[in-house]
Amino acid sequence: MKPIHQIKASFAITHLLTLSLIWGCLSALAPQPVSAKPEVGRWSVSAILGLRQATFNERMQPWVISATYGIEAYYKVSGKLSIGPMLSYSKMYNDSLSNSTFKIGRENANIYLKNLCVGLACKMYVYSNGAFAPHLRFGAGVSSWEVDAMSTHSPVTVVSSEGKPRDFAATEMYLLLGIGAESYIHPHWSIDYGFDLYFLSGLGADFDGETNNIRSRGYGDINIGVAYHFGGKKKSLLERWRTDDQTQTEKKEPSQFIIREPDGGEPTDTIRQTPLDLYSDQDYDGVRDSLDLCSDTPREAVGFVDSTGCPTDSDSDSIPDYVDRCPATELSSAVDSTGCPLDSDGDGVTDDVDKCPGTPRGYKPDEHGCF
């Protein structure tokens, strides 16, 4: 016969291997990530249906796989973390004949285990930008359980650590570890599924050594559920705090803007810094906001603004200097969008001096635009 610690370890390894297998199957069968996850609400409520088996026994595994029911609610603290309460109930039967680890059916049952779990859980998403969002689950809470006889539906009597008779029941703390995923089928609905392990702490379970050898120290769950998401898409308190903190940090950084060449060429690599904070010159044009009459000057106009912060127009042709390819146009000249004189007939002579504005294509005109 195997030592007790080897049997206990084999149960743990079996369940962990099962967890890994289920995770792989779910990942393979689940919808593939899309470009962006639907914009779901901050809150969600899930109705859960699953299979549960009491496990982690010292000696034998008497319990068959039975149904479990639960409800969960989560609040999305950030894009990577959700937290909320959870509740589950199960009624597991034993098998008085089979020695296998995994058993189905209660034909040979003579006792059953009622269990109610209440706790707090959090989901940590591996990634959250797709319609398929895998996550790890952690939690803690209280498990209240009782083993009853099938014949009398009353608690089975065992012995306490002090040698006194007591009911085979306890309320003890548990820790939760699980993996799962959410598949979003609608902005308000998703399908949730996963595998969870509950580890009972033993606190509050006062039994003698023989009873401890046969009692279960945890549960294994396979779950699937439907979740409804609601509550809007506003940032959570944590995200707003992070955004405000980042904004304040940015405001403390000195402003930086690019110096252009005097002739309007490409920007140089020289960076000029000013002690003014970022919010004092929002458009980076070198003119403080309190004096800036054109507070939305485009970045490419930096170096081509006057003392009021507005783009300059040296030749008064209504084309600002930072886009004007012909900065010395005569006042009477009509210009195009680049600030250069128009040449309506395309003969190479601009309209302001063209005395024959209808020159046909292909003819070479003189300096007056005539042929």
Tab-separated table of all heavy atoms in Angstrom, residues 232-294:
chain	number	residue	atom	x	y	z
A	232	GLY	N	-22.377	50.979	-17.666
A	232	GLY	CA	-21.626	51.996	-18.386
A	232	GLY	C	-20.172	51.637	-18.578
A	232	GLY	O	-19.681	50.633	-18.084
A	233	LYS	N	-19.469	52.518	-19.291
A	233	LYS	CA	-18.087	52.248	-19.680
A	233	LYS	C	-17.121	53.290	-19.115
A	233	LYS	O	-16.006	53.424	-19.575
A	233	LYS	CB	-17.976	52.229	-21.206
A	233	LYS	CG	-19.031	51.369	-21.878
A	233	LYS	CD	-18.983	51.516	-23.380
A	233	LYS	CE	-20.126	50.736	-24.027
A	233	LYS	NZ	-21.450	51.294	-23.682
A	234	LYS	N	-17.565	54.069	-18.126
A	234	LYS	CA	-16.686	55.091	-17.560
A	234	LYS	C	-15.505	54.444	-16.858
A	234	LYS	O	-15.565	53.300	-16.429
A	234	LYS	CB	-17.465	55.965	-16.579
A	234	LYS	CG	-18.554	56.800	-17.230
A	234	LYS	CD	-19.255	57.669	-16.198
A	234	LYS	CE	-20.340	58.524	-16.849
A	234	LYS	NZ	-21.033	59.369	-15.860
A	235	LYS	N	-14.439	55.234	-16.700
A	235	LYS	CA	-13.258	54.733	-16.019
A	235	LYS	C	-13.570	54.466	-14.550
A	235	LYS	O	-14.369	55.162	-13.936
A	235	LYS	CB	-12.120	55.750	-16.117
A	235	LYS	CG	-11.561	55.930	-17.518
A	235	LYS	CD	-10.412	56.912	-17.505
A	235	LYS	CE	-9.810	57.059	-18.911
A	235	LYS	NZ	-8.693	58.022	-18.920
A	236	SER	N	-12.936	53.436	-14.011
A	236	SER	CA	-13.094	53.135	-12.595
A	236	SER	C	-12.338	54.160	-11.758
A	236	SER	O	-11.564	54.968	-12.271
A	236	SER	CB	-12.556	51.734	-12.297
A	236	SER	OG	-11.152	51.703	-12.467
A	237	LEU	N	-12.544	54.121	-10.444
A	237	LEU	CA	-11.848	55.038	-9.549
A	237	LEU	C	-10.334	54.876	-9.665
A	237	LEU	O	-9.585	55.854	-9.667
A	237	LEU	CB	-12.311	54.787	-8.107
A	237	LEU	CG	-13.770	55.141	-7.802
A	237	LEU	CD1	-14.109	54.754	-6.374
A	237	LEU	CD2	-14.021	56.628	-8.017
A	238	LEU	N	-9.869	53.613	-9.753
A	238	LEU	CA	-8.440	53.365	-9.865
A	238	LEU	C	-7.877	53.947	-11.150
A	238	LEU	O	-6.820	54.592	-11.159
A	238	LEU	CB	-8.161	51.858	-9.804
A	238	LEU	CG	-6.705	51.431	-9.988
A	238	LEU	CD1	-5.827	52.026	-8.885
A	238	LEU	CD2	-6.592	49.911	-9.992
A	239	GLU	N	-8.585	53.751	-12.278
A	239	GLU	CA	-8.099	54.262	-13.562
A	239	GLU	C	-8.118	55.785	-13.587
A	239	GLU	O	-7.213	56.418	-14.126
A	239	GLU	CB	-8.946	53.695	-14.696
A	239	GLU	CG	-8.719	52.209	-14.929
A	239	GLU	CD	-9.656	51.627	-15.955
A	239	GLU	OE1	-10.812	52.113	-16.052
A	239	GLU	OE2	-9.273	50.689	-16.640
A	240	ARG	N	-9.164	56.396	-12.992
A	240	ARG	CA	-9.204	57.851	-12.939
A	240	ARG	C	-8.072	58.400	-12.083
A	240	ARG	O	-7.471	59.426	-12.402
A	240	ARG	CB	-10.557	58.317	-12.386
A	240	ARG	CG	-11.647	58.371	-13.458
A	240	ARG	CD	-12.936	58.876	-12.904
A	240	ARG	NE	-13.627	57.838	-12.148
A	240	ARG	CZ	-14.745	58.034	-11.477
A	240	ARG	NH1	-15.296	59.215	-11.433
A	240	ARG	NH2	-15.316	57.036	-10.838
A	241	TRP	N	-7.782	57.719	-10.966
A	241	TRP	CA	-6.686	58.153	-10.106
A	241	TRP	C	-5.353	58.075	-10.861
A	241	TRP	O	-4.532	58.989	-10.794
A	241	TRP	CB	-6.639	57.284	-8.859
A	241	TRP	CG	-5.455	57.583	-7.981
A	241	TRP	CD1	-5.292	58.620	-7.129
A	241	TRP	CD2	-4.246	56.802	-7.912
A	241	TRP	NE1	-4.064	58.554	-6.507
A	241	TRP	CE2	-3.397	57.454	-6.972
A	241	TRP	CE3	-3.802	55.639	-8.528
A	241	TRP	CZ2	-2.140	56.953	-6.657
A	241	TRP	CZ3	-2.547	55.159	-8.212
A	241	TRP	CH2	-1.734	55.804	-7.286
A	242	ARG	N	-5.144	56.976	-11.602
A	242	ARG	CA	-3.909	56.831	-12.363
A	242	ARG	C	-3.799	57.891	-13.442
A	242	ARG	O	-2.733	58.461	-13.677
A	242	ARG	CB	-3.847	55.440	-12.997
A	242	ARG	CG	-3.548	54.333	-11.984
A	242	ARG	CD	-3.520	52.988	-12.675
A	242	ARG	NE	-3.098	51.945	-11.762
A	242	ARG	CZ	-3.070	50.655	-12.079
A	242	ARG	NH1	-3.431	50.258	-13.293
A	242	ARG	NH2	-2.675	49.758	-11.202
A	243	THR	N	-4.926	58.192	-14.132
A	243	THR	CA	-4.911	59.202	-15.195
A	243	THR	C	-4.594	60.577	-14.631
A	243	THR	O	-3.790	61.326	-15.180
A	243	THR	CB	-6.270	59.230	-15.920
A	243	THR	OG1	-6.534	57.935	-16.464
A	243	THR	CG2	-6.257	60.260	-17.043
A	244	ASP	N	-5.240	60.941	-13.502
A	244	ASP	CA	-4.990	62.239	-12.881
A	244	ASP	C	-3.540	62.350	-12.431
A	244	ASP	O	-2.904	63.381	-12.600
A	244	ASP	CB	-5.927	62.441	-11.682
A	244	ASP	CG	-7.384	62.566	-12.105
A	244	ASP	OD1	-7.612	62.820	-13.296
A	244	ASP	OD2	-8.269	62.392	-11.255
A	245	ASP	N	-3.009	61.268	-11.866
A	245	ASP	CA	-1.629	61.286	-11.403
A	245	ASP	C	-0.666	61.461	-12.568
A	245	ASP	O	0.309	62.206	-12.490
A	245	ASP	CB	-1.322	59.987	-10.647
A	245	ASP	CG	0.083	59.983	-10.058
A	245	ASP	OD1	0.350	60.800	-9.159
A	245	ASP	OD2	0.901	59.165	-10.511
A	246	GLN	N	-0.949	60.781	-13.684
A	246	GLN	CA	-0.087	60.886	-14.862
A	246	GLN	C	-0.153	62.292	-15.451
A	246	GLN	O	0.859	62.856	-15.864
A	246	GLN	CB	-0.516	59.856	-15.911
A	246	GLN	CG	0.360	59.872	-17.154
A	246	GLN	CD	-0.093	58.817	-18.158
A	246	GLN	OE1	-1.085	58.145	-17.957
A	246	GLN	NE2	0.654	58.691	-19.232
A	247	THR	N	-1.373	62.888	-15.448
A	247	THR	CA	-1.519	64.234	-15.976
A	247	THR	C	-0.739	65.241	-15.151
A	247	THR	O	-0.064	66.119	-15.673
A	247	THR	CB	-3.005	64.629	-16.004
A	247	THR	OG1	-3.720	63.689	-16.811
A	247	THR	CG2	-3.182	66.027	-16.580
A	248	GLN	N	-0.822	65.104	-13.822
A	248	GLN	CA	-0.080	66.013	-12.960
A	248	GLN	C	1.424	65.885	-13.187
A	248	GLN	O	2.163	66.858	-13.164
A	248	GLN	CB	-0.420	65.728	-11.490
A	248	GLN	CG	-1.851	66.067	-11.122
A	248	GLN	CD	-2.164	67.544	-11.305
A	248	GLN	OE1	-1.305	68.400	-11.119
A	248	GLN	NE2	-3.391	67.853	-11.701
A	249	THR	N	1.885	64.641	-13.406
A	249	THR	CA	3.310	64.426	-13.659
A	249	THR	C	3.732	65.089	-14.959
A	249	THR	O	4.787	65.715	-15.047
A	249	THR	CB	3.620	62.919	-13.722
A	249	THR	OG1	3.229	62.320	-12.487
A	249	THR	CG2	5.102	62.679	-13.957
A	250	GLU	N	2.900	64.972	-16.001
A	250	GLU	CA	3.225	65.571	-17.288
A	250	GLU	C	3.269	67.092	-17.190
A	250	GLU	O	4.088	67.750	-17.825
A	250	GLU	CB	2.208	65.140	-18.335
A	250	GLU	CG	2.325	63.670	-18.717
A	250	GLU	CD	1.234	63.248	-19.678
A	250	GLU	OE1	0.299	64.048	-19.893
A	250	GLU	OE2	1.325	62.138	-20.213
A	251	LYS	N	2.383	67.674	-16.367
A	251	LYS	CA	2.353	69.122	-16.241
A	251	LYS	C	3.632	69.676	-15.617
A	251	LYS	O	3.992	70.815	-15.825
A	251	LYS	CB	1.144	69.552	-15.415
A	251	LYS	CG	-0.179	69.432	-16.160
A	251	LYS	CD	-1.329	69.927	-15.310
A	251	LYS	CE	-2.648	69.867	-16.069
A	251	LYS	NZ	-3.781	70.374	-15.258
A	252	LYS	N	4.299	68.852	-14.826
A	252	LYS	CA	5.512	69.294	-14.166
A	252	LYS	C	6.728	69.218	-15.073
A	252	LYS	O	7.794	69.721	-14.755
A	252	LYS	CB	5.748	68.460	-12.906
A	252	LYS	CG	4.675	68.673	-11.847
A	252	LYS	CD	4.912	67.792	-10.643
A	252	LYS	CE	3.809	67.963	-9.607
A	252	LYS	NZ	3.995	67.077	-8.441
A	253	GLU	N	6.589	68.546	-16.240
A	253	GLU	CA	7.710	68.436	-17.157
A	253	GLU	C	7.835	69.722	-17.968
A	253	GLU	O	6.834	70.325	-18.353
A	253	GLU	CB	7.506	67.249	-18.106
A	253	GLU	CG	7.505	65.911	-17.380
A	253	GLU	CD	7.231	64.769	-18.328
A	253	GLU	OE1	6.946	65.058	-19.511
A	253	GLU	OE2	7.295	63.612	-17.880
A	254	PRO	N	9.043	70.188	-18.261
A	254	PRO	CA	9.208	71.426	-19.028
A	254	PRO	C	8.728	71.269	-20.451
A	254	PRO	O	8.793	70.193	-21.029
A	254	PRO	CB	10.726	71.669	-18.976
A	254	PRO	CG	11.312	70.306	-18.755
A	254	PRO	CD	10.324	69.584	-17.902
A	255	SER	N	8.214	72.369	-21.010
A	255	SER	CA	7.755	72.348	-22.392
A	255	SER	C	8.934	72.187	-23.334
A	255	SER	O	10.021	72.684	-23.087
A	255	SER	CB	7.016	73.647	-22.722
A	255	SER	OG	5.915	73.814	-21.861
A	256	GLN	N	8.728	71.516	-24.450
A	256	GLN	CA	9.754	71.349	-25.460
A	256	GLN	C	9.144	71.623	-26.825
A	256	GLN	O	8.028	71.206	-27.092
A	256	GLN	CB	10.319	69.930	-25.445
A	256	GLN	CG	11.005	69.558	-24.146
A	256	GLN	CD	11.582	68.165	-24.220
A	256	GLN	OE1	11.399	67.480	-25.200
A	256	GLN	NE2	12.286	67.776	-23.181
A	257	PHE	N	9.829	72.382	-27.662
A	257	PHE	CA	9.332	72.570	-29.009
A	257	PHE	C	10.500	72.714	-29.969
A	257	PHE	O	11.612	73.062	-29.588
A	257	PHE	CB	8.376	73.760	-29.120
A	257	PHE	CG	8.870	75.028	-28.483
A	257	PHE	CD1	9.570	75.950	-29.226
A	257	PHE	CD2	8.621	75.283	-27.145
A	257	PHE	CE1	10.022	77.113	-28.657
A	257	PHE	CE2	9.067	76.447	-26.567
A	257	PHE	CZ	9.776	77.371	-27.313
A	258	ILE	N	10.242	72.455	-31.249
A	258	ILE	CA	11.291	72.384	-32.268
A	258	ILE	C	11.551	73.753	-32.874
A	258	ILE	O	10.626	74.506	-33.155
A	258	ILE	CB	10.876	71.387	-33.372
A	258	ILE	CG1	10.678	70.003	-32.747
A	258	ILE	CG2	11.887	71.344	-34.490
A	258	ILE	CD1	10.112	68.994	-33.703
A	259	ILE	N	12.828	74.070	-33.079
A	259	ILE	CA	13.210	75.320	-33.751
A	259	ILE	C	13.343	75.039	-35.244
A	259	ILE	O	14.058	74.129	-35.653
A	259	ILE	CB	14.554	75.844	-33.207
A	259	ILE	CG1	14.442	76.095	-31.694
A	259	ILE	CG2	14.974	77.105	-33.936
A	259	ILE	CD1	15.743	76.513	-31.071
A	260	ARG	N	12.644	75.836	-36.075
A	260	ARG	CA	12.757	75.667	-37.524
A	260	ARG	C	13.866	76.557	-38.079
A	260	ARG	O	14.249	77.565	-37.487
A	260	ARG	CB	11.432	76.022	-38.212
A	260	ARG	CG	10.391	74.934	-38.079
A	260	ARG	CD	9.158	75.303	-38.895
A	260	ARG	NE	8.208	74.210	-38.903
A	260	ARG	CZ	8.196	73.235	-39.795
A	260	ARG	NH1	9.105	73.213	-40.748
A	260	ARG	NH2	7.299	72.287	-39.743
A	261	GLU	N	14.350	76.150	-39.241
A	261	GLU	CA	15.324	76.976	-39.938
A	261	GLU	C	14.664	78.301	-40.344
A	261	GLU	O	13.473	78.338	-40.642
A	261	GLU	CB	15.833	76.253	-41.187
A	261	GLU	CG	16.646	75.010	-40.873
A	261	GLU	CD	17.986	75.353	-40.255
A	261	GLU	OE1	18.416	76.530	-40.342
A	261	GLU	OE2	18.608	74.459	-39.645
A	262	PRO	N	15.398	79.406	-40.412
A	262	PRO	CA	14.807	80.705	-40.758
A	262	PRO	C	14.108	80.718	-42.108
A	262	PRO	O	13.151	81.456	-42.304
A	262	PRO	CB	16.019	81.651	-40.742
A	262	PRO	CG	17.007	80.988	-39.835
A	262	PRO	CD	16.807	79.510	-40.054
A	263	ASP	N	14.600	79.926	-43.084
A	263	ASP	CA	13.995	79.940	-44.416
A	263	ASP	C	12.787	79.020	-44.530
A	263	ASP	O	12.254	78.827	-45.626
A	263	ASP	CB	15.038	79.570	-45.473
A	263	ASP	CG	15.600	78.167	-45.251
A	263	ASP	OD1	15.249	77.553	-44.219
A	263	ASP	OD2	16.372	77.701	-46.106
A	264	GLY	N	12.349	78.442	-43.426
A	264	GLY	CA	11.181	77.586	-43.482
A	264	GLY	C	11.471	76.165	-43.858
A	264	GLY	O	10.580	75.430	-44.262
A	265	GLY	N	12.750	75.741	-43.746
A	265	GLY	CA	13.109	74.376	-44.113
A	265	GLY	C	12.673	73.358	-43.077
A	265	GLY	O	11.823	73.614	-42.233
A	266	GLU	N	13.304	72.199	-43.145
A	266	GLU	CA	12.945	71.130	-42.221
A	266	GLU	C	13.355	71.486	-40.797
A	266	GLU	O	14.321	72.229	-40.590
A	266	GLU	CB	13.626	69.824	-42.644
A	266	GLU	CG	13.110	69.271	-43.952
A	266	GLU	CD	11.637	68.918	-43.856
A	266	GLU	OE1	11.223	68.386	-42.810
A	266	GLU	OE2	10.897	69.190	-44.818
A	267	PRO	N	12.654	70.957	-39.802
A	267	PRO	CA	13.010	71.233	-38.408
A	267	PRO	C	14.407	70.702	-38.098
A	267	PRO	O	14.828	69.663	-38.598
A	267	PRO	CB	11.949	70.483	-37.612
A	267	PRO	CG	10.839	70.242	-38.575
A	267	PRO	CD	11.481	70.127	-39.922
A	268	THR	N	15.116	71.442	-37.270
A	268	THR	CA	16.417	70.963	-36.808
A	268	THR	C	16.224	70.053	-35.609
A	268	THR	O	15.116	69.883	-35.118
A	268	THR	CB	17.308	72.145	-36.406
A	268	THR	OG1	16.750	72.742	-35.236
A	268	THR	CG2	17.399	73.177	-37.519
A	269	ASP	N	17.306	69.474	-35.129
A	269	ASP	CA	17.228	68.581	-33.980
A	269	ASP	C	17.379	69.329	-32.661
A	269	ASP	O	17.414	68.728	-31.595
A	269	ASP	CB	18.319	67.504	-34.068
A	269	ASP	CG	18.066	66.561	-35.223
A	269	ASP	OD1	16.888	66.403	-35.576
A	269	ASP	OD2	19.036	65.999	-35.755
A	270	THR	N	17.516	70.664	-32.744
A	270	THR	CA	17.709	71.453	-31.533
A	270	THR	C	16.400	71.544	-30.759
A	270	THR	O	15.352	71.833	-31.332
A	270	THR	CB	18.192	72.871	-31.882
A	270	THR	OG1	19.354	72.763	-32.665
A	270	THR	CG2	18.482	73.662	-30.612
A	271	ILE	N	16.456	71.298	-29.472
A	271	ILE	CA	15.277	71.389	-28.620
A	271	ILE	C	15.477	72.539	-27.640
A	271	ILE	O	16.488	72.617	-26.945
A	271	ILE	CB	15.046	70.076	-27.837
A	271	ILE	CG1	14.812	68.922	-28.805
A	271	ILE	CG2	13.872	70.214	-26.892
A	271	ILE	CD1	13.566	69.066	-29.635
A	272	ARG	N	14.526	73.451	-27.609
A	272	ARG	CA	14.606	74.574	-26.680
A	272	ARG	C	13.647	74.313	-25.534
A	272	ARG	O	12.493	73.945	-25.742
A	272	ARG	CB	14.227	75.871	-27.403
A	272	ARG	CG	14.399	77.125	-26.520
A	272	ARG	CD	14.209	78.386	-27.326
A	272	ARG	NE	12.848	78.496	-27.830
A	272	ARG	CZ	12.474	79.388	-28.748
A	272	ARG	NH1	13.367	80.198	-29.261
A	272	ARG	NH2	11.230	79.439	-29.155
A	273	GLN	N	14.086	74.508	-24.318
A	273	GLN	CA	13.255	74.299	-23.150
A	273	GLN	C	12.982	75.624	-22.460
A	273	GLN	O	13.807	76.538	-22.483
A	273	GLN	CB	13.938	73.349	-22.161
A	273	GLN	CG	14.081	71.935	-22.700
A	273	GLN	CD	14.577	70.992	-21.631
A	273	GLN	OE1	15.071	71.418	-20.605
A	273	GLN	NE2	14.420	69.715	-21.876
A	274	THR	N	11.826	75.730	-21.896
A	274	THR	CA	11.428	76.926	-21.172
A	274	THR	C	10.956	76.518	-19.790
A	274	THR	O	10.421	75.411	-19.619
A	274	THR	CB	10.283	77.657	-21.911
A	274	THR	OG1	9.783	78.700	-21.075
A	274	THR	CG2	9.159	76.705	-22.226
A	275	PRO	N	11.131	77.346	-18.798
A	275	PRO	CA	10.657	76.998	-17.449
A	275	PRO	C	9.145	76.989	-17.335
A	275	PRO	O	8.598	76.550	-16.326
A	275	PRO	CB	11.274	78.107	-16.576
A	275	PRO	CG	11.503	79.255	-17.502
A	275	PRO	CD	11.877	78.621	-18.812
A	276	LEU	N	8.446	77.483	-18.350
A	276	LEU	CA	6.985	77.452	-18.291
A	276	LEU	C	6.491	76.013	-18.313
A	276	LEU	O	6.999	75.182	-19.048
A	276	LEU	CB	6.399	78.208	-19.492
A	276	LEU	CG	6.746	79.692	-19.584
A	276	LEU	CD1	6.167	80.273	-20.855
A	276	LEU	CD2	6.223	80.439	-18.374
A	277	ASP	N	5.510	75.705	-17.519
A	277	ASP	CA	4.946	74.363	-17.506
A	277	ASP	C	4.168	74.092	-18.779
A	277	ASP	O	3.828	75.011	-19.531
A	277	ASP	CB	4.028	74.176	-16.293
A	277	ASP	CG	4.812	74.121	-15.000
A	277	ASP	OD1	6.005	73.768	-15.052
A	277	ASP	OD2	4.233	74.446	-13.955
A	278	LEU	N	3.856	72.809	-19.002
A	278	LEU	CA	3.190	72.393	-20.227
A	278	LEU	C	1.881	73.131	-20.450
A	278	LEU	O	1.553	73.531	-21.548
A	278	LEU	CB	2.940	70.880	-20.178
A	278	LEU	CG	2.271	70.256	-21.395
A	278	LEU	CD1	3.147	70.411	-22.616
A	278	LEU	CD2	1.976	68.801	-21.137
A	279	TYR	N	1.115	73.331	-19.395
A	279	TYR	CA	-0.196	73.936	-19.570
A	279	TYR	C	-0.107	75.435	-19.864
A	279	TYR	O	-1.105	76.073	-20.153
A	279	TYR	CB	-1.077	73.694	-18.351
A	279	TYR	CG	-0.510	74.173	-17.037
A	279	TYR	CD1	-0.652	75.487	-16.648
A	279	TYR	CD2	0.153	73.294	-16.188
A	279	TYR	CE1	-0.141	75.940	-15.450
A	279	TYR	CE2	0.674	73.735	-14.982
A	279	TYR	CZ	0.524	75.051	-14.613
A	279	TYR	OH	1.034	75.479	-13.423
A	280	SER	N	1.100	76.068	-19.775
A	280	SER	CA	1.252	77.490	-20.072
A	280	SER	C	1.394	77.750	-21.562
A	280	SER	O	1.293	78.881	-22.000
A	280	SER	CB	2.473	78.069	-19.336
A	280	SER	OG	2.299	77.992	-17.940
A	281	ASP	N	1.687	76.739	-22.365
A	281	ASP	CA	1.836	76.897	-23.810
A	281	ASP	C	1.308	75.626	-24.468
A	281	ASP	O	2.065	74.762	-24.890
A	281	ASP	CB	3.295	77.141	-24.176
A	281	ASP	CG	3.489	77.365	-25.668
A	281	ASP	OD1	2.473	77.583	-26.365
A	281	ASP	OD2	4.624	77.295	-26.142
A	282	GLN	N	-0.002	75.506	-24.564
A	282	GLN	CA	-0.617	74.261	-25.009
A	282	GLN	C	-0.269	73.900	-26.440
A	282	GLN	O	-0.252	72.723	-26.790
A	282	GLN	CB	-2.149	74.345	-24.859
A	282	GLN	CG	-2.619	74.479	-23.415
A	282	GLN	CD	-2.488	73.178	-22.647
A	282	GLN	OE1	-2.057	72.171	-23.200
A	282	GLN	NE2	-2.835	73.193	-21.374
A	283	ASP	N	-0.054	74.891	-27.319
A	283	ASP	CA	0.223	74.560	-28.718
A	283	ASP	C	1.716	74.614	-29.070
A	283	ASP	O	2.090	74.533	-30.242
A	283	ASP	CB	-0.568	75.467	-29.668
A	283	ASP	CG	-0.337	76.945	-29.393
A	283	ASP	OD1	0.511	77.252	-28.522
A	283	ASP	OD2	-0.994	77.778	-30.041
A	284	TYR	N	2.591	74.781	-28.047
A	284	TYR	CA	4.044	74.709	-28.252
A	284	TYR	C	4.571	75.732	-29.260
A	284	TYR	O	5.548	75.471	-29.951
A	284	TYR	CB	4.457	73.310	-28.738
A	284	TYR	CG	4.169	72.183	-27.797
A	284	TYR	CD1	2.972	71.484	-27.889
A	284	TYR	CD2	5.087	71.792	-26.818
A	284	TYR	CE1	2.691	70.432	-27.025
A	284	TYR	CE2	4.813	70.755	-25.958
A	284	TYR	CZ	3.614	70.072	-26.065
A	284	TYR	OH	3.347	69.035	-25.213
A	285	ASP	N	3.920	76.865	-29.374
A	285	ASP	CA	4.388	77.831	-30.377
A	285	ASP	C	5.303	78.890	-29.781
A	285	ASP	O	5.717	79.832	-30.466
A	285	ASP	CB	3.202	78.501	-31.077
A	285	ASP	CG	2.325	79.293	-30.111
A	285	ASP	OD1	2.611	79.272	-28.886
A	285	ASP	OD2	1.349	79.916	-30.578
A	286	GLY	N	5.657	78.801	-28.495
A	286	GLY	CA	6.559	79.736	-27.854
A	286	GLY	C	5.879	80.961	-27.283
A	286	GLY	O	6.558	81.841	-26.745
A	287	VAL	N	4.543	81.042	-27.396
A	287	VAL	CA	3.786	82.178	-26.858
A	287	VAL	C	2.890	81.661	-25.742
A	287	VAL	O	2.102	80.728	-25.956
A	287	VAL	CB	2.942	82.862	-27.953
A	287	VAL	CG1	2.154	84.027	-27.367
A	287	VAL	CG2	3.849	83.358	-29.077
A	288	ARG	N	3.002	82.243	-24.564
A	288	ARG	CA	2.206	81.784	-23.439
A	288	ARG	C	0.720	81.882	-23.732
A	288	ARG	O	0.272	82.794	-24.445
A	288	ARG	CB	2.542	82.596	-22.179
A	288	ARG	CG	3.891	82.243	-21.569
A	288	ARG	CD	4.081	82.940	-20.249
A	288	ARG	NE	4.068	84.391	-20.384
A	288	ARG	CZ	4.109	85.246	-19.359
A	288	ARG	NH1	4.126	84.771	-18.129
A	288	ARG	NH2	4.109	86.535	-19.562
A	289	ASP	N	-0.045	80.985	-23.159
A	289	ASP	CA	-1.481	80.955	-23.416
A	289	ASP	C	-2.170	82.257	-23.026
A	289	ASP	O	-3.177	82.637	-23.620
A	289	ASP	CB	-2.120	79.780	-22.660
A	289	ASP	CG	-1.703	78.437	-23.240
A	289	ASP	OD1	-1.198	78.431	-24.372
A	289	ASP	OD2	-1.869	77.407	-22.562
A	290	SER	N	-1.670	82.938	-22.019
A	290	SER	CA	-2.294	84.184	-21.581
A	290	SER	C	-2.167	85.285	-22.633
A	290	SER	O	-2.927	86.253	-22.617
A	290	SER	CB	-1.664	84.647	-20.264
A	290	SER	OG	-0.260	84.844	-20.421
A	291	LEU	N	-1.214	85.160	-23.571
A	291	LEU	CA	-1.008	86.144	-24.638
A	291	LEU	C	-1.376	85.593	-26.002
A	291	LEU	O	-1.409	86.354	-26.986
A	291	LEU	CB	0.461	86.594	-24.664
A	291	LEU	CG	1.028	87.179	-23.349
A	291	LEU	CD1	2.520	87.459	-23.511
A	291	LEU	CD2	0.276	88.449	-22.968
A	292	ASP	N	-1.650	84.316	-26.076
A	292	ASP	CA	-1.848	83.627	-27.354
A	292	ASP	C	-3.284	83.812	-27.851
A	292	ASP	O	-4.241	83.359	-27.224
A	292	ASP	CB	-1.555	82.131	-27.189
A	292	ASP	CG	-1.273	81.449	-28.516
A	292	ASP	OD1	-1.763	81.947	-29.545
A	292	ASP	OD2	-0.559	80.430	-28.511
A	293	LEU	N	-3.429	84.512	-28.997
A	293	LEU	CA	-4.751	84.711	-29.606
A	293	LEU	C	-5.130	83.563	-30.533
A	293	LEU	O	-6.275	83.470	-30.974
A	293	LEU	CB	-4.785	86.038	-30.378
A	293	LEU	CG	-4.510	87.306	-29.544
A	293	LEU	CD1	-4.593	88.546	-30.433
A	293	LEU	CD2	-5.498	87.407	-28.380
A	294	CYS	N	-4.145	82.718	-30.863
A	294	CYS	CA	-4.400	81.552	-31.722
A	294	CYS	C	-3.871	80.334	-30.960
A	294	CYS	O	-2.764	79.848	-31.216
A	294	CYS	CB	-3.714	81.697	-33.076
A	294	CYS	SG	-4.239	83.157	-34.012
